[in-house]
Structure formats: C-alpha cells, structure tokens
Amino acid sequence: MLPRELAPRFALSQAALFYESDPWTRELFAMGEMVQGRLEAEIARCVVDLDCDPGFRPPEDEDGVCKVHTDFGETIWQEEGFPTAEEIDRLLDRYHRPFHDVLARTANRGAVRLGMDCHSMLPVGPPKAKGAGKKRPWFCISNFGDSEGEGDDVTASAELMASLKEALEKEFGEDDRDEDVDLVRMNDPFDGGYILERHGRGYTPWIRLSINHSVYLQQTESYDEVPDSDRELIATVRRRLLKVLATFAESID
C-alpha cells in the first residue's frame, strides 16, 4: 500500500510498483497453523523498506529505508515529491518500528524454534542489484554465511541451512528449468538483510528464504506490464512450499 498523504507524489507505474513489492509472497507463504506467528508487510517496500536499517536514509543513502530509485533506476517520486525528513520520521514511527517491535515479541516466544524471513526475487539481477544481469536460482537461502552456510557470525547453523536446501531439492529437484539456473544457492545473490541482522542474533535462529518469480509468475519480455497471475499455479506452489517447510521443521531441534 501507499500512504494516502504521499500517493499524489508517487511516480511509479502499477507495473513498477508490482515488481518492487515482493509480489504474491503473502499468498505463497501463508502457512496457517504451521507457525507460531506471522507478520506481513503492509507498506510498499520502496516507500518504507522494513528489511533496511532505519539509520540508512537519504540524502546520505539513496537506497536506504526510503528509496529514491528502483533497482532499475526509475525515479520513485515526482519532482520535489520525495518525503521530507519529518515525513520519513512519521513513516518509520507508523510502519517500521511497530513491525520490528511485534516481530521481536513474536519471535521470542518460547515455542518458536526458528524465524523465517520470506521474499521473492526477479529472475535476473536488475541493474542496481548485486549480480546485475546474472540469472538467479529458483531459491536463495541466507544466513550471512558462505556458499555452504558456514561463517563466524551466522544467524542459523550450516546444518539447518543444509536441511532446508535438501528439503527444497527433494520437492522441486525434478522440475524443468533452464540448465544455467541453479535450484538452490546459499547466500547468493542475498546473504541477509536488516531483519536477520536485528532478530537473528539471539537464541532463535533465522533464515531468509527468497523464491524466484519464474517459479510462479508468467514471464514477460519487459517489466512494463503487470504479468498474468495464475492463481491455481500460485496455490500449487504454496502447497509445495508447505511440504518443504513441514519436512524441514522435522530437522529443527
């Protein structure tokens, strides 16, 4: 969503906003009673990025908590329309701080064994992103580690990462995909974000899971139009993801 008071100054098309908003992840990762708690982003990521440190903000950081341009270099706001410092403060008070406060309380419940930060990703890295122009895997799982999930300051153990990778491979490994597209990669193209950084440093492990748009969206030649969305396919992918996570949950101590 866009805050009503800022909508007249917003410059992106509906298609650009679609691709900037983790499309259909709300439906794909609807896990129902499988989880202790679930928290959804309500605000468009290009207006307030909940996975970004609130201290990273323009003009010092144009790709910070409030974006100036998309990953394709499109201007998000009309001329002179970018939120003022006071408006950014209000946006953070309204959306960013409450989201992380609730997330912290939910994740610290005694019965929670793992936190999962769920995203989607474009099939090819956009111009301003890490790995620009390179094809991305169907799934990226992240813990601030290396390609094996290992590291000195990871948010989940390499064993947990390997278990999730194995569960994804078991469910999706026989599906047709381009030969040069990996099924699962660890920490590539994403090694983590602010959500993992802030909430994954306690006793509860955290993993970021990103799914490629090509798994569930019809691919188009450009990003100038909102693609057709096959609700039946999205529902099928959701059921398969639930199977993956149910298998993976058995490996969590």
Side-chain angles (χ1 to χ4, degrees):
M1 60 165 280
L2 299 175
R4 182 178 302 175
E5 69 274 16
L6 298 180
R9 292 143 56 183
F10 197 71
L12 291 185
S13 66
Q14 283 297 113
L17 179 60
F18 176 86
Y19 286 110
E20 287 290 314
S21 300
D22 271 344
W24 293 107
T25 48
R26 185 181 306 230
E27 288 74 18
L28 288 168
F29 296 106
M31 302 175 195
E33 295 182 356
M34 283 184 62
V35 294
Q36 289 288 321
R38 167 182 154 106
L39 191 58
E40 300 173 351
E42 300 291 342
I43 186 74
R45 185 178 69 90
C46 53
V47 178
V48 178
D49 188 347
L50 301 174
D51 198 28
C52 184
D53 189 318
F56 296 162
R57 50 193 288 179
E60 292 80 10
D61 193 334
E62 293 192 348
D63 191 34
V65 69
C66 294
K67 313 295 185 188
V68 175
H69 302 97
T70 69
D71 284 337
F72 290 97
E74 293 183 72
T75 301
I76 295 171
W77 303 92
Q78 296 178 7
E79 187 175 358
E80 305 300 327
F82 189 83
T84 65
E86 291 75 17
E87 287 173 327
I88 292 176
D89 286 338
R90 289 197 292 270
L91 287 170
L92 297 181
D93 285 338
R94 190 187 310 172
Y95 299 106
H96 197 283
R97 293 188 182 93
F99 178 88
H100 285 281
D101 287 347
V102 173
L103 191 57
R105 291 197 299 270
T106 302
N108 286 324
R109 291 176 182 170
V112 174
R113 294 182 292 165
L114 179 134
M116 187 162 288
D117 179 25
C118 301
H119 295 261
S120 67
M121 58 181 169
L122 293 165
V124 176
K128 292 180 63 181
K130 176 184 176 182
K134 295 182 179 179
K135 290 187 177 181
R136 289 170 165 176
W138 272 19
F139 298 96
C140 172
I141 56 177
S142 313
N143 69 339
F144 285 120
D146 61 16
S147 61
E148 300 296 326
E150 298 179 348
D152 295 332
D153 196 26
V154 296
T155 59
S157 69
E159 290 75 19
L160 280 177
M161 295 282 283
S163 293
L164 178 54
K165 182 174 185 288
E166 183 179 347
L168 287 165
E169 291 171 339
K170 180 180 179 181
E171 178 61 34
F172 291 92
E174 300 300 320
D175 289 33
D176 292 332
R177 64 182 189 281
D178 292 345
E179 291 183 358
D180 56 348
V181 174
D182 294 330
L183 179 60
V184 187
R185 282 193 226 139
M186 294 188 190
N187 297 299
D188 181 17
F190 311 107
D191 59 1
Y194 179 71
I195 291 175
L196 259 63
E197 180 67 43
R198 175 167 175 177
H199 302 284
R201 302 305 186 191
Y203 64 85
T204 302
W206 272 82
I207 294 176
R208 172 174 172 152
L209 170 61
S210 300
I211 182 172
N212 196 306
H213 290 178
S214 64
V215 179
Y216 64 94
L217 281 178
Q218 177 179 337
Q219 298 305 293
T220 58
E221 294 183 356
S222 73
Y223 296 111
D224 297 331
E225 297 180 1
V226 177
D228 292 336
S229 298
D230 185 335
R231 300 294 186 94
E232 184 175 345
L233 174 59
I234 290 169
T236 298
V237 174
R238 173 184 173 271
R239 288 193 293 269
R240 298 182 71 185
L241 286 172
L242 289 178
K243 286 178 60 179
V244 167
L245 296 174
T247 300
F248 170 59
E250 296 176 358
S251 69
I252 304 173
D253 293 331

